Amino acid sequence: MTFDYSILDDTERITFALRELYLSRGYSRYKMSKFEEYDLYARHKDFLVSDAVITFTDTNGKLLALKPDVTLSIIKNNQDEPEGVRKLCYNENVYRVSKGTNSFKELMQMGLECMGAVDGACISEVLQLAAETLKVLSTSFVLEVSDLDILSAFTEDLTEDSAEMSGILRCIQEKNFHGLTELLEKNGTSREKTDALIAVLRTAGSPEEVLPKLETLCAGVPRAAEAVERLEEALGVFWGTPFLPSVEIDLSSAADMNYYNGVVFRGYIDGVPESVLSGGQYDVLMRKMGRKSGAIGFAVYLDLLERITLPEE
Amino acid sequence: MDKMLNIALPKGRLGEKVYAMFAEAGFPCPQILENSRKLIFENPEAGVRYFWVKPSDVAIYVERGAADVGVAGKDILLEYRPEVYELLDMKCGACRMAVAAPKGYQDDRIRTLRVATKFTEIAKDYYASLGRDIELIHLNGSIELAPILGLSDVIVDIVETGTTLKENNLEVISTIVPITARLIANRASYKFRKREIMKLQEGLSALVSAE
């Protein structure tokens, strides 16, 4: 069967281009059912982008849900990989509440997951694939990389109170350093500790610039220093490649530490006001779901690409 | 490609004051001061485009990327929780979010408290933190009228000088949070226009700390 490629619309072109990219790197396609038992989402509610889920009762009386998320299903349906890494890619519709309209929407999501003995090389590979994915979408993109192990080394003993901690994380994500200073002053954190945290958060920029600075700033904090070393190793894959100018370290780009750990990242393309790609290591979620191995993955939100013009090819 | 920095300013006195600070920080656009009905003002030399929007809409323009940066009150940020960067406390337009009630009002914890406000999220969060059951009444203006007519027990609103409250025989019974204007930026714009936005942030920050 042959046909004229020009009949493909943008979403189809992206889907095919990305699928080809992932398959060529040894990822196998993973297709899943549209429904999942509601219980799965009730147990891991905070992992979901929005906690509203479309539910219905199956013929046997079981409460089912239309998938609001793909990662949870993949973990649930795959046992631990004792050796090596299981590499999967998917292309699925998910059902979520969109912020603007406050009603349910069907969104197309593409992504990949690695589960098993995730090592430095595997993290590098996923980061590189994230950058290559962004390049398919736009000639002008930024891959923003952060490391939660560095961040948590500076934030873990700030407070015991979870509401206060989420306030602190919110300030960090908003780059709201005046608000952060105020919060920490109120809870009695020492000035030196606050300054050390803010200094680390402020060192955003290109890896060549930021990594040496982070090494100096984290020298006295062994856990953070180790994490910086690992991050440096993971980003090594970009050295001497045309991707390097598009990669940025920004530790204020935090994710929920109840699920994620280590390297996390977001992708932005010029012309779309929010991140179109997000991912990271989620060993913590794996533990919560009774898995021993590590995991890393990312997702691309294809619905956000509706209004941009794609690069030729 | 459009390479001007788009800036959304809140219409009104605060916006004019904020514009003066932006101009001093190296982003002038003199025609904005001419009295006209234009909505958009450009200065290609300085690489800026300004527009006036309703103060409560600034956050939406910035969150959705129509503006790269803007100035919005902390009240708006707390109410709508837009996903933006909050880069600087501009320390101007100071006021506070407060609970007010008729003079001599005694809270009766046995009954559900009726709260009239324009800021339903802030009111909800505040009373949730106190563990208090409330009935929210969302109003769009003249909030002070509600307790006078018995529509609500208390109001949650912005208090600047307190004159309106006094003239209507109301008084502040507690302050929820102090409010000032904040410099906000779109998260994607911050990645792609970093140099200009940092220059603006540093310029404004120097002005704020000099005051």
Side-chain angles (χ1 to χ4, degrees), chain A residues 1-10 12-13 16 20:
Chain A
M1 184 176 66
T2 55
F3 66 91
D4 183 357
Y5 284 101
S6 65
I7 62 165
L8 298 181
D9 65 31
D10 281 354
E12 287 161 342
R13 278 172 54 207
F16 292 147
E20 189 181 17

Side-chain angles (χ1 to χ4, degrees), chain A residues 99-100 140-142 144 170 173-178 202 204-205 248 250 268-270 272-274, chain B residues 1 3 63-65 74 80-89 182 186-188 190-192 194:
Chain A
K99 202 184 168 198
S140 173
F141 66 89
V142 171
E144 173 197 77
R170 199 178 159 83
Q173 285 167 332
E174 287 176 343
K175 292 188 184 290
N176 179 354
F177 302 137
H178 47 275
R202 275 195 199 279
E248 210 173 84
D250 188 342
Y268 293 89
I269 60 179
D270 206 354
V272 179
E274 53 192 304
Chain B
M1 225 9 228
K3 276 298 165 203
E63 184 180 32
R64 295 184 157 255
K74 184 69 183 173
Y80 298 105
R81 300 246 152 168
E83 286 190 13
V84 295
Y85 288 137
E86 184 184 321
L87 298 176
L88 184 70
D89 182 351
R182 310 293 162 104
N186 176 272
R187 293 191 180 185
Y190 191 85
K191 303 285 159 217
F192 296 101
K194 199 165 182 181

Side-chain angles (χ1 to χ4, degrees), chain A residues 112-115 118 122-123 126 263 265 280-282 294-298:
Chain A
L112 55 85
E113 315 282 351
C114 290
M115 291 170 187
V118 171
C122 181
I123 297 171
V126 172
V263 174
F265 50 91
Q281 290 179 262
Y282 51 90
I296 182 170
F298 66 76

Side-chain angles (χ1 to χ4, degrees), chain A residues 93-310:
Chain A
N93 285 325
V94 294
Y95 303 84
R96 285 180 185 163
V97 173
S98 77
K99 202 184 168 198
T101 58
N102 220 359
S103 56
F104 282 102
K105 257 183 101 178
E106 183 185 53
L107 308 169
M108 172 115 58
Q109 186 178 315
M110 247 189 123
L112 55 85
E113 315 282 351
C114 290
M115 291 170 187
V118 171
D119 56 3
C122 181
I123 297 171
S124 291
E125 180 186 279
V126 172
L127 281 171
Q128 191 184 357
L129 276 167
E132 286 181 46
T133 301
L134 291 168
K135 200 172 167 240
V136 169
L137 307 178
S138 173
T139 46
S140 173
F141 66 89
V142 171
L143 179 67
E144 173 197 77
V145 185
S146 174
D147 190 303
L148 293 180
D149 292 339
I150 304 178
L151 193 62
S152 75
F154 283 90
T155 54
E156 62 188 351
D157 51 357
L158 291 179
T159 176
E160 297 279 310
D161 184 64
S162 70
E164 206 169 63
M165 194 62 189
S166 65
I168 291 172
L169 278 180
R170 199 178 159 83
C171 283
I172 291 175
Q173 285 167 332
E174 287 176 343
K175 292 188 184 290
N176 179 354
F177 302 137
H178 47 275
L180 184 61
T181 312
E182 216 172 90
L183 261 178
L184 293 178
E185 215 165 84
K186 229 191 269 168
N187 95 348
T189 305
S190 70
R191 191 72 222 183
E192 296 83 66
K193 245 186 183 170
T194 308
D195 289 345
L197 170 62
I198 291 179
V200 165
L201 293 172
R202 275 195 199 279
T203 56
S206 68
E208 303 115 297
E209 231 176 84
V210 173
L211 284 169
K213 279 191 208 160
L214 279 180
E215 268 168 30
T216 322
L217 289 168
C218 298
V221 191
R223 254 192 68 206
E226 266 169 49
V228 173
E229 222 169 275
R230 277 201 306 271
L231 181 64
E232 190 161 7
E233 191 195 309
L235 290 174
V237 68
F238 293 118
W239 250 253
T241 71
F243 290 120
L244 191 60
S246 304
V247 179
E248 210 173 84
I249 297 178
D250 188 342
L251 294 176
S252 74
S253 169
D256 190 340
M257 292 193 220
N258 289 317
Y259 296 97
Y260 292 97
N261 60 292
V263 174
V264 293
F265 50 91
R266 274 172 201 284
Y268 293 89
I269 60 179
D270 206 354
V272 179
E274 53 192 304
S275 58
V276 297
L277 178 152
S278 82
Q281 290 179 262
Y282 51 90
D283 302 348
V284 191
L285 174 61
M286 294 287 277
R287 295 300 160 274
K288 284 190 178 178
M289 295 185 68
R291 300 289 185 276
K292 290 192 195 68
S293 42
I296 182 170
F298 66 76
V300 193
Y301 307 107
L302 297 180
D303 57 297
L304 295 175
L305 306 174
E306 254 176 16
R307 277 181 191 78
I308 57 155
T309 3
L310 290 173

